[in-house]
């Protein structure tokens, strides 16, 4: 997940920028430095910075000239009537006074290129590609949109606060900021659509590849040795599945038998077990295929691919557990 993490991680300059916006006054040289720092932020990091600023510092306390450094101008209208609601339709702009710029984020524009890269990258393992796309989609839905909506809500609350005297030029600026975030939300929705379409395409390809069995080519004798080692280490119970049932799970069509392999492992241990099958026996079984089969359980029930990946990303297995699984399968390999 490192490629997805790279887009959503905090920018190392955020702390310095927050200190700058929280301080009083600034020099013209500071503005150039701040703009240079912001150019290293992608859209998510920029949004996160704005959200953190507005959460920690009251909007009316932030120097307005500093606040303007966060955005770039690009055609918006200033009106004579300060109560006039912002509109893109020039036919409905009476009292138009002069043309300025509407606002864009003052940061690096990486979203489109990043989505294109995620879509076009040809992963050797389709399952890994799908997982990256889903992780990116989840971050957009649960983090990106939430931050943007919170920012807009804070600005709208500020505009509706009758205890604060806001100048007309500031009102238009804040309205344009809201429009800038609205526009970017549309780009996010488009990116989500493209990601979801790509996931559907990959899932169709993957489902065509998946047969009604694990489709592995390994000698039965090796599977028997694996079974004996798992039983010796108490990862399986003889009373629940016999050696012949174990063979059926891995070699036979799923609908041809009722056998279910119930492993005494948690999600992290199971991840290690499947990884060792690949390393030592060249047995490659995607977690999504295991999930579809409904033939293997662990302590959490039937295997769920997403839960396995989540456990792997969140935690680290105890060395003794990892050694036990690794050494038992190494013993099975050596016979």
């Amino acid at each position: 997940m490192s490629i997805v993490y790279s887009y959503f991680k905090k920018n190392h300059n955020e702390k310095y920028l927050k200190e700058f916006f929280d301080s009083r006054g600034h020099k013209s040289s500071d503005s150039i430095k701040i703009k240079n720092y912001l150019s290293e932020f992608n859209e998510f990091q920029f949004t996160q910075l704005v959200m953190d600023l507005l959460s920690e510092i009251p909007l009316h306390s932030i120097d307005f000239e500093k606040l303007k450094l966060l955005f770039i101008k690009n055609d918006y209208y200033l009106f004579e009537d300060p109560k006039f609601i912002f509109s893109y339709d020039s036919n409905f702009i009476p009292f138009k006074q002069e043309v300025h710029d509407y606002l864009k984020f003052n940061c690096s524009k990486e979203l489109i290129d990043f989505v294109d890269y995620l879509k076009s990258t040809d992963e050797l393992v389709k399952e890994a590609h799908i997982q990256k796309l889903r992780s990116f989609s989840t971050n957009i839905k649960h983090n990106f949109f939430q931050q943007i909506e919170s920012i807009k809500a804070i600005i709208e609350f500020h505009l509706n606060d009758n205890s604060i005297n806001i100048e007309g030029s500031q009102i238009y600026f804040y309205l344009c900021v809201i429009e800038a975030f609205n526009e970017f939300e549309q780009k996010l929705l488009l990116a989500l659509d493209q990601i979801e379409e790509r996931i559907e395409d990959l899932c169709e390809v993957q489902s065509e590849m998946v047969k009604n069995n694990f489709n592995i080519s390994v000698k039965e004798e090796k599977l028997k040795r694996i079974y004996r080692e798992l039983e010796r280490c108490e990862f399986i119970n003889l009373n629940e599945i016999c050696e012949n049932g174990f063979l059926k799970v891995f070699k036979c069509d799923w609908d041809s038998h009722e056998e279910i392999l119930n492993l005494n492992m948690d999600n992290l241990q199971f991840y290690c077990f499947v990884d060792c099958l690949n390393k030592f026996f060249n047995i490659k079984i995607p977690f999504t295929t295991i999930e579809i089969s409904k033939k293997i359980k662990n302590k959490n029930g039937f295997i769920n691919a997403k839960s396995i990946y989540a456990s792997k990303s969140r935690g680290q297995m105890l060395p003794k557990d990892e050694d036990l699984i690794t050494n038992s399968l190494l013993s099975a390999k050596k016979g």
Side-chain angles (χ1 to χ4, degrees):
M1 287 302 142
S2 58
I3 185 67
V4 173
Y5 170 76
S6 68
Y7 186 82
F8 291 101
K9 70 178 181 181
K10 272 185 178 289
N11 189 288
H12 63 280
N13 287 319
E14 180 174 318
K15 183 179 178 182
Y16 172 80
L17 289 173
K18 285 162 69 175
E19 289 174 354
F20 169 78
F21 283 101
D22 197 24
S23 63
R24 295 291 179 184
H26 72 283
K27 306 172 187 175
S28 58
S29 58
D30 290 335
S31 299
I32 297 172
K33 188 186 296 185
I34 294 304
K35 288 183 178 180
N36 288 336
Y37 279 138
L38 286 170
S39 68
E40 298 176 10
F41 281 60
N42 63 37
E43 297 94 339
F44 179 79
Q45 293 167 336
F46 173 84
T47 305
Q48 191 171 51
L49 169 66
V50 176
M51 181 62 222
D52 288 347
L53 281 174
L54 299 186
S55 299
E56 297 173 18
I57 311 170
L59 187 52
H60 64 270
S61 298
I62 302 176
D63 187 314
F64 185 64
E65 292 303 313
K66 287 184 178 181
L67 205 58
K68 290 196 291 187
L69 295 175
L70 291 168
F71 299 91
I72 300 172
K73 297 179 180 179
N74 193 17
D75 285 345
Y76 82 88
Y77 294 98
L78 184 65
F79 312 105
E80 292 179 352
D81 182 357
K83 296 179 180 178
F84 190 85
I85 301 301
F86 183 88
S87 172
Y88 276 118
D89 190 346
S90 59
N91 294 324
F92 293 90
I93 302 180
F95 320 121
K96 185 167 60 178
Q97 194 174 37
E98 56 179 307
V99 177
H100 287 260
D101 296 332
Y102 73 83
L103 304 182
K104 297 190 299 183
F105 300 167
N106 188 9
C107 66
S108 175
K109 309 301 185 292
E110 296 180 13
L111 178 69
I112 294 175
D113 289 341
F114 194 82
V115 170
D116 286 342
Y117 172 79
L118 281 179
K119 285 164 50 187
S120 60
T121 300
D122 191 14
E123 294 271 357
L124 184 62
V125 182
K126 290 285 185 288
E127 181 183 4
H129 195 177
I130 292 170
Q131 190 65 22
K132 284 181 181 178
L133 291 167
R134 282 179 173 158
S135 175
F136 188 72
S137 175
T138 299
N139 271 292
I140 288 178
K141 292 174 183 174
H142 295 173
N143 297 326
F144 226 149
F145 277 113
Q146 185 177 15
Q147 287 187 165
I148 290 173
E149 289 303 313
S150 297
I151 290 169
K152 292 194 297 182
I154 291 172
I155 295 173
E156 287 168 358
F157 179 83
H158 178 70
L159 289 173
N160 291 317
D161 189 346
N162 295 325
S163 66
I164 300 173
N165 184 26
I166 309 174
E167 294 180 8
S169 60
Q170 292 184 13
I171 291 174
Y172 296 115
F173 174 82
Y174 291 131
L175 288 173
C176 291
V177 168
I178 291 173
E179 281 301 320
F181 280 105
N182 284 338
E183 267 205 359
F184 187 71
E185 278 186 313
Q186 294 305 309
K187 292 180 181 178
L188 281 180
L189 288 171
L190 179 60
L192 271 180
D193 287 343
Q194 293 174 348
I195 290 292
E196 295 300 330
E197 284 178 11
R198 184 64 176 135
I199 291 173
E200 287 180 12
D201 291 343
L202 288 170
C203 286
E204 286 178 11
V205 171
Q206 192 177 45
S207 63
E208 289 173 4
M209 294 169 62
V210 175
K211 297 183 179 179
N212 195 28
N213 56 61
F214 289 123
N215 194 30
I216 59 174
S217 55
V218 59
K219 293 181 179 180
E220 286 192 3
E221 185 54 40
K222 288 185 178 180
L223 285 174
K224 288 178 181 179
R225 291 204 297 268
I226 293 172
Y227 173 82
R228 291 164 194 158
E229 284 298 320
L230 290 174
E231 192 277 324
R232 181 181 66 80
C233 297
E234 298 183 347
F235 286 123
I236 56 176
N237 191 324
L238 279 171
N239 296 324
E240 292 187 1
I241 189 168
C242 63
E243 187 177 83
N244 188 51
F246 184 84
L247 294 176
K248 285 182 179 179
V249 167
F250 283 96
K251 298 290 285 184
C252 298
D253 287 348
W254 303 323
D255 55 6
S256 68
H257 63 90
E258 301 296 325
E259 300 289 350
I260 293 176
L261 174 59
N262 195 351
L263 292 167
N264 185 27
M265 299 178 180
D266 59 26
N267 283 343
L268 274 173
Q269 290 172 320
F270 184 75
Y271 183 98
C272 180
F273 169 66
V274 173
D275 187 48
C276 287
L277 287 180
N278 181 17
K279 287 179 181 177
F280 304 144
F281 299 95
N282 199 31
I283 297 175
K284 297 181 175 67
I285 309 178
F287 291 113
T288 48
T289 303
I290 296 173
E291 180 178 341
I292 291 168
S293 74
K294 296 295 184 186
K295 286 297 175 184
I296 301 180
K297 288 182 174 182
N298 67 0
K299 290 178 179 179
N300 299 91
F302 282 111
I303 297 303
N304 180 287
K306 188 175 180 181
S307 296
I308 298 293
Y309 283 118
S311 296
K312 176 60 180 174
S313 64
R314 284 197 305 264
Q316 198 67 35
M317 194 187 316
L318 292 174
K320 63 176 184 178
D321 292 335
E322 187 171 1
D323 289 344
L324 183 60
I325 295 169
T326 302
N327 292 335
S328 65
L329 291 183
L330 265 176
S331 296
K333 179 182 179 182
K334 293 174 182 177

